[in-house]
Amino acid sequence: MRRATIPLAILSVCLAACNSGADNRAETEANASATRAPDGRQYLAQPLVTEIYTADPSAHVFDGKIYVYPSHDIDAGVPDDDLGNQYAMRDYRVLRMDQIGGPVTIGPVALDVKDVPWASQQMWAPDAAYKNGTYYLYFPARDKSKDKNGLGAFRIGVATSKNPMGPFVPEPNYIPGSFSMDPAVFTDDDGTSYMYFGGIWGGQLQRWKNGVYDPNGSDTDLMQDDQPAISGKVVRMNPDMKTFAEPVRDAVILDERGQPVKGGDHDRRFFEASWVFKRGGKYYYTYSTGDTHFVNYAIGDNPYGPFIYKGHILAPVQGWTSHHSIIEWNGKWWLFYHDTQLSNKNHLRSAKVTELKFNADGTIPMINPFRP
Ligand code: FUB
């Protein structure tokens, strides 16, 4: 992955913000007063928290409060590469707020990779769900196999808790039939839950064909520009919320002519970061385009798709990755996203939130993460 090239002056400070019950160790090395990007643009929003780095924010409303399940970025000293090895996260911490813009509580460690029997490393973007008194934390990590790069295959695990902040107890094995990364669980009005997941390049989706993994497979999708793009995945969950109810399906994105978006169409093709929400009876499938750094949306009539491509939701943020979630709260819609404002390093990101608006026809005006 692309390396950030513009260094910031380093000011190590304890950025004591709105935090209770959290580890107060300052992890950030940032200029606390930086409200402009290195190129002079002004950020649209400020980080939710500054004591720790948080990314890939999956937001939910549970019992009237807003909970955010982010990746917990750390600096493991791993250089940037196209496989994402620099994203060497080891645990999860949950954020809680009573209202958007209010104080944010950082929870204690909710799950540590050392407590997950099947996982070796890289606790990437998680999500959460609630059902019948139990909270479910879904998380990707590499298993203990070795591919051509000496790295494990990504799988998706689940852990449970009676408390939305955790701690979560992991199942001994990953979800049977799961693979790749970036799980996002959407629960429809009838109570049926679906998991959307997958990512190409470092997320390994291109190595999976008909349910079989090739540990020597390609590290990118660049070999199939003229073919239909590799699709993200969707699968219905069993009522136990720990297993898949059916074989995994493709979440296909079609262009305006009803043709599958092509692999070479990097402004539109799926890369990672699935998130689905429902509005006006329509299913909005949202995702990141990876190497072109957009968050996009496509609309379908049912949870499986196909989804018709509509446009960009979020223009490129500062940093290589873009990953988001969308919730309705207090009569408005909100986009949670991340950027590298506090570090200017691709792997040390900060979650943010801003309002998401809709046009009368259900389309979404693109958000610029910088002020005009
Ligand atoms: O945080 C690690 C990876 O970076 C996520 O899983 C991707 O979505 C990207 O944000």
Side-chain angles (χ1 to χ4, degrees):
M1 293 192 174
R2 196 180 62 190
R3 218 185 212 305
T5 51
I6 310 166
L8 272 182
I10 292 180
L11 174 62
S12 295
V13 290
C14 178
L15 298 169
C18 324
N19 171 24
S20 67
D23 174 1
N24 274 326
R25 179 170 48 97
E27 294 184 6
T28 55
E29 291 181 332
N31 185 337
S33 62
T35 55
R36 288 184 186 276
D39 62 10
R41 290 181 295 172
Q42 197 174 3
Y43 300 104
L44 178 65
Q46 291 298 306
L48 291 177
V49 296
T50 53
E51 294 90 342
I52 61 173
Y53 291 109
T54 56
D56 312 321
S58 292
H60 290 273
V61 180
F62 294 138
D63 207 14
K65 292 187 171 53
I66 301 157
Y67 293 86
V68 182
Y69 297 82
S71 298
H72 177 196
D73 283 356
I74 55 168
D75 196 352
V78 181
D80 280 22
D81 63 29
D82 282 344
L83 298 174
N85 280 314
Q86 64 275 27
Y87 303 100
M89 299 84 95
R90 299 192 188 106
D91 61 28
Y92 296 110
R93 314 247 327 237
V94 183
L95 309 182
R96 183 182 66 219
M97 59 195 101
D98 289 343
Q99 56 187 357
I100 287 173
V104 180
T105 297
I106 305 173
V109 172
L111 181 67
D112 193 303
V113 67
K114 71 177 169 35
D115 298 320
V116 182
W118 59 268
S120 61
Q121 59 179 337
Q122 287 176 300
M123 303 286 263
W124 281 11
D127 192 22
Y130 170 81
K131 186 169 186 176
N132 296 338
T134 299
Y135 295 89
Y136 297 84
L137 179 70
Y138 300 96
F139 59 97
R142 290 189 190 276
D143 67 13
K144 294 180 175 171
S145 64
K146 296 259 191 268
D147 69 359
K148 65 177 183 182
N149 303 314
L151 298 166
F154 272 105
R155 302 283 188 171
I156 296 169
V158 57
T160 57
S161 177
K162 293 294 178 193
N163 185 329
M165 301 292 276
F168 290 85
V169 177
E171 293 295 298
N173 205 349
Y174 52 77
I175 296 175
S178 72
F179 55 94
S180 194
M181 36 68 107
D182 285 6
V185 172
F186 162 75
T187 299
D188 208 345
D189 301 332
D190 66 358
T192 307
S193 294
Y194 302 83
M195 180 182 287
Y196 299 81
F197 66 91
I200 60 174
W201 294 23
Q204 302 175 331
L205 215 46
Q206 69 280 355
R207 293 184 176 183
W208 287 88
K209 299 258 160 43
N210 304 317
V212 179
Y213 177 66
D214 177 3
N216 300 313
S218 175
D219 290 332
T220 73
D221 70 331
L222 301 178
M223 79 304 275
Q224 57 168 73
D225 282 2
D226 296 330
Q227 299 168 38
I230 295 167
S231 293
K233 305 299 172 192
V234 52
V235 63
R236 183 165 52 87
M237 306 288 295
N238 276 318
D240 68 4
M241 298 295 275
K242 295 178 178 174
T243 52
F244 294 163
E246 59 183 3
V248 169
R249 309 183 193 199
D250 284 343
V252 175
I253 300 167
L254 302 178
D255 66 17
E256 63 286 352
R257 294 170 296 122
Q259 298 300 310
V261 165
K262 293 267 175 48
D265 188 350
H266 288 209
D267 279 352
R268 298 198 291 182
R269 63 103 162 79
F270 171 85
F271 191 99
E272 61 189 8
S274 303
W275 184 267
V276 168
F277 66 93
K278 191 176 184 182
R279 184 178 182 274
K282 299 287 186 189
Y283 297 80
Y284 287 69
Y285 179 57
T286 70
Y287 59 95
S288 161
T289 62
D291 59 340
T292 52
H293 318 291
F294 290 107
V295 172
N296 285 353
Y297 74 110
I299 296 180
D301 292 326
N302 70 76
Y304 295 113
F307 301 96
I308 311 297
Y309 178 79
K310 292 294 175 185
H312 304 315
I313 291 177
L314 180 63
V317 297
Q318 181 181 318
W320 201 96
T321 65
S322 200
H323 192 130
H324 65 293
S325 65
I326 293 166
I327 60 168
E328 186 179 17
W329 185 79
N330 230 6
K332 292 182 174 177
W333 290 83
W334 301 92
L335 174 77
F336 289 76
Y337 65 105
H338 70 224
D339 69 12
T340 61
Q341 174 179 344
L342 291 183
S343 73
N344 203 26
K345 293 176 181 166
N346 287 332
H347 62 289
L348 297 176
R349 301 160 290 179
S350 297
K352 299 183 166 186
V353 62
T354 193
E355 189 179 347
L356 180 78
K357 299 238 169 76
F358 289 84
N359 297 314
D361 64 358
T363 56
I364 301 175
M366 185 180 75
I367 291 172
N368 181 349
F370 299 95
R371 293 189 187 281

